[in-house]
Amino acid sequence: MPEYDLSVATWRKSTHSGGDGGNCLEVADGHPGIVPVRDSKVPDGPHLTFNGPAWTAFVTSL
């Protein structure tokens, strides 16, 4: 999968993250065909990029 410039991405906490402030994912909207994901506790750390169907399958399996 190609690299995407996410330096200006607007991240939001996933609705699938727990409300206890612990293990939280953030996703970035506005990137057609991909879903960028990162750990909210390490915002400057690495991120993963899923294509739409892969993200849907991941969330569905939870």
Side-chain angles (χ1 to χ4, degrees):
M1 191 171 272
E3 279 293 314
Y4 294 92
D5 179 12
L6 299 175
S7 62
V8 296
T10 301
W11 296 89
R12 65 175 175 82
K13 189 178 291 187
S14 170
T15 58
H16 297 282
S17 292
D20 62 2
N23 298 322
C24 297
L25 292 178
E26 291 181 327
V27 296
D29 296 322
H31 301 276
I34 66 165
V35 181
V37 180
R38 71 180 183 184
D39 183 343
S40 64
K41 296 181 300 301
V42 189
D44 293 326
H47 65 273
L48 297 173
T49 306
F50 294 89
N51 65 37
W55 179 250
T56 300
F58 172 72
V59 172
T60 301
S61 71
L62 299 176

